[in-house]
């Protein structure tokens, strides 16, 4: 009898090296074997290190979670398939029917939409202006959760995390912060009193625009509630993406250092340019939250800025047609500098009234500054603005 079929399944045997590789292996397996039932019990109960099933996570998931927790000096972390799944798992793990969420009106558009969806399950959301402390205090009465962004998308509003966290805790609410724009390089939000810090790792942590991932970090008891939902509902990622993000994060500080330095220079350049009506960058004294940003952010003011041309799609298209390096792309946090247009992308699904209230008109652009040479970026903007 030809044993080819059996050999094809079982023949690929290699000895496990006893020494450690410099780059950790990718555990591309959705399923794991067990010696016997005692080992199954031991792994489930955490008495023995081991993996169970893809949805429960692999060593690559655990490595990314350990990394994210370490970067935020958190007790624990859970990785999910995207920033939105990390937020969704957080809401589904911590909220129930009848609960009230107080959310900054300046959140990423999809986050506002998820909160709206949760209304169908009895979770009510009230939006607030982070600068109106008395209004925040009023809204927090009876709230279960306060949701903020460290530097908001796209106006770069920076909340006074210590002050708002204290108010939320007095009201019995926990505080969740989306720290995507800042990354741990610019803000360790847990050190400012918040309970959970979440990031879309798709952005700066991975840093190369080639994975979708998210994570939440904080105290172990909260993280375990979120993990249970993430595993049960399948909101988890795969080993390869986790591996890529671990690799990308090795250069986080180098990238952020360069990009945030360039962002400040470009914000100053744009603020002086006659074709630019307004610049939103927390590092500029003209920004409403400059003083708060000096307290909450560290190592500079991050790599995201927004600027306003006249409210016209024609002007924006003229700029886009003339830029050589800076491309329109609907994400952020990569090595390359990109622009996004909130009115047609991240905030597309808000009502025109909601967009208007946030000032997100047709000439509003958000820029994610990358690691190219600053002089090239400045020259690129200068020549393209000529065409506007
Ligand atoms: C501030 C912020 N939070 C969350 C997300 C969602 O992350 P993801 O696209 O990884 O789901 C984004 C995406 O742009 C974002 O900008």
């Amino acid at each position: 009898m030809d044993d080819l079929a059996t050999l094809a399944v079982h023949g690929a045997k290699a000895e496990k090296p006893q020494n450690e590789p410099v780059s950790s292996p990718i555990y591309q397996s959705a399923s794991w074997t067990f010696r016997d039932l005692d080992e199954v019990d031991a792994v489930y109960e955490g008495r023995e290190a081991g993996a169970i099933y893809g949805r429960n996570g692999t060593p690559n998931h655990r490595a990314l979670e350990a990394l994210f927790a370490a970067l935020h000096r958190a007790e624990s972390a859970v990785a999910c398939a995207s920033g939105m799944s990390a937020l969704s798992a957080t809401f589904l793990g911590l909220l129930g029917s009848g609960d009230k969420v107080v959310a900054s009106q300046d959140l990423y558009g999809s986050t506002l939409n998820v909160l709206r969806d949760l209304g169908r399950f009895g979770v009510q959301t009230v939006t607030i202006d982070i600068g109106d402390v008395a209004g925040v205090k009023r809204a927090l009465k009876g709230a279960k959760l306060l949701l903020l962004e460290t530097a908001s998308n796209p106006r770069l509003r920076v909340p006074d995390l210590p002050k708002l966290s204290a108010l939320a805790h007095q009201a019995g609410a926990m505080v969740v912060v989306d720290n995507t724009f800042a990354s741990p390089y610019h803000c360790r939000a847990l050190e400012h009193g918040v309970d959970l810090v979440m990031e879309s790792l798709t952005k700066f942590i991975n840093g190369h625009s080639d994975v979708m991932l998210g994570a939440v970090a904080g105290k172990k008891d909260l993280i375990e509630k979120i993990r249970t939902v993430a595993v049960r509902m399948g909101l988890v990622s795969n080993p390869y993406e986790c591996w890529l993000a671990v690799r990308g994060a090795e250069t986080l500080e180098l990238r952020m250092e360069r990009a945030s330095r360039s962002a400040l220079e470009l914000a100053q350049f744009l603020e002086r340019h006659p074709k630019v009506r307004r610049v939103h960058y927390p590092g500029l004294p003209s920004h409403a939250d400059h003083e708060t940003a000096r307290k909450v952010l560290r190592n500079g003011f991050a790599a995201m800025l927004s600027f306003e041309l006249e409210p016209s799609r024609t002007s924006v298209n003229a700029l886009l047609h003339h830029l050589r390096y800076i491309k329109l792309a609907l994400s952020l946090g990569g090595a390359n500098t990109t622009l996004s247009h909130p009115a047609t992308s991240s905030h597309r699904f808000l009502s025109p009234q909601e967009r208007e209230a946030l000032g997100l008109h047709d000439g509003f652009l958000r820029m994610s500054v990358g690691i190219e040479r600053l002089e090239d970026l400045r020259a690129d903007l200068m020549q393209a603005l000529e065409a506007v």
Side-chain angles (χ1 to χ4, degrees):
M1 203 168 49
D2 193 343
D3 60 356
L4 186 135
T6 304
L7 283 176
V9 177
H10 295 279
K13 291 265 187 303
E15 253 182 45
K16 260 194 215 161
Q18 289 306 301
N19 56 341
E20 292 290 320
V22 173
S23 166
S24 68
I26 303 171
Y27 292 86
Q28 191 66 42
S29 185
S31 154
W32 296 71
T33 60
F34 296 91
R35 196 174 54 238
D36 54 23
L37 301 181
D38 296 337
E39 190 177 28
V40 175
D41 286 343
V43 172
Y44 261 105
E45 289 159 18
R47 285 182 282 111
E48 263 181 45
I52 298 171
Y53 175 56
R55 194 149 40 71
N56 298 73
T58 63
N60 298 108
H61 291 77
R62 298 291 99 86
L64 179 61
E65 288 165 353
L67 174 69
F68 190 65
L71 294 178
H72 277 291
R73 296 189 177 145
E75 234 174 70
S76 184
V78 56
C80 293
S82 65
M84 290 321 299
S85 57
L87 275 173
S88 301
T90 303
F91 299 148
L92 294 170
L94 304 179
L95 299 171
S97 176
D99 285 340
K100 173 176 160 187
V101 175
V102 176
S104 163
Q105 64 183 7
D106 274 275
L107 297 178
Y108 172 54
S110 292
T111 307
L112 289 169
N113 280 332
V114 168
L115 291 172
R116 201 164 294 161
D117 292 343
L118 288 180
R120 288 192 280 120
F121 304 94
V123 175
Q124 180 213 352
T125 296
V126 177
T127 54
I128 43 109
D129 175 345
I130 54 152
D132 172 14
V133 175
V136 178
K137 205 169 172 180
R138 267 196 311 278
L140 278 168
K141 280 206 184 80
K144 180 88 182 271
L145 192 148
L146 173 64
L147 180 63
L148 305 165
E149 282 174 12
T150 318
S152 74
N153 185 351
R155 297 199 300 172
L156 290 316
R157 297 295 314 270
V158 180
D160 189 330
L161 293 181
K163 191 190 275 178
L164 299 190
S165 297
L167 284 181
H169 291 151
Q170 274 160 27
M174 66 192 130
V175 185
V176 179
V177 166
D178 180 339
N179 196 56
T180 299
F181 277 25
S183 87
Y185 178 72
H186 289 293
C187 181
R188 283 204 181 97
L190 296 172
E191 290 178 357
H192 295 286
V194 316
D195 300 289
L196 288 167
V197 59
M198 165 271 157
E199 284 182 27
S200 164
L201 310 185
T202 313
K203 318 299 186 196
F204 290 105
I205 294 264
N206 175 62
H208 294 81
S209 309
D210 51 13
V211 308
M212 295 293 304
L213 276 170
V216 196
K219 287 247 169 12
K220 197 167 180 352
D221 57 332
L222 289 178
I223 294 300
E224 286 316 304
K225 287 183 184 171
I226 299 166
R227 186 192 305 282
T228 300
V229 167
V231 170
R232 204 171 277 164
M233 295 191 170
L235 303 175
V236 294
S237 184
N238 60 68
Y240 182 51
E241 304 248 314
C242 293
W243 182 88
L244 277 173
V246 167
R247 188 184 66 161
E250 289 179 1
T251 54
L252 177 70
E253 177 165 306
L254 298 175
R255 288 183 282 108
M256 297 308 288
E257 205 171 37
R258 155 84 70 125
S260 62
R261 212 171 334 115
S262 297
L264 175 61
E265 294 272 350
L266 293 176
Q268 288 165 343
F269 159 74
L270 289 167
E271 197 170 48
R272 286 191 302 269
H273 200 283
K275 300 265 177 72
V276 175
R277 294 187 164 191
R278 189 170 171 195
V279 178
H280 303 256
Y281 185 67
L284 294 177
S286 59
H287 192 278
D289 301 319
H290 180 60
E291 285 311 314
T292 309
R294 288 164 64 92
K295 201 166 71 175
V296 171
L297 303 180
R298 61 195 188 110
N299 299 325
F301 298 90
M304 300 298 299
L305 65 94
S306 293
F307 61 96
E308 300 181 35
L309 302 177
E310 59 174 330
S312 131
R313 285 169 71 103
T314 316
S315 300
V316 170
N317 280 337
L319 183 81
L320 294 173
H321 293 156
H322 285 82
L323 284 167
R324 285 177 59 209
Y325 299 120
I326 306 173
K327 295 293 173 211
L328 180 68
L330 309 182
S331 186
L332 62 115
N336 39 344
T337 301
T338 54
L339 283 173
S340 91
H341 186 246
T344 53
S345 55
S346 56
H347 292 68
R348 185 183 189 96
F349 299 105
L350 298 189
S351 68
Q353 294 78 7
E354 285 171 315
R355 272 201 300 276
E356 197 184 317
L358 294 173
L360 303 181
H361 58 76
D362 280 346
F364 193 108
L365 287 160
R366 188 196 75 190
M367 183 154 67
S368 168
V369 179
I371 59 172
E372 303 94 330
R373 191 170 280 275
L374 169 65
E375 291 71 24
D376 291 332
L377 295 176
R378 197 163 27 209
D380 200 16
L381 282 167
M382 200 161 356
Q383 59 83 21
L385 280 165
E386 291 285 303
V388 172

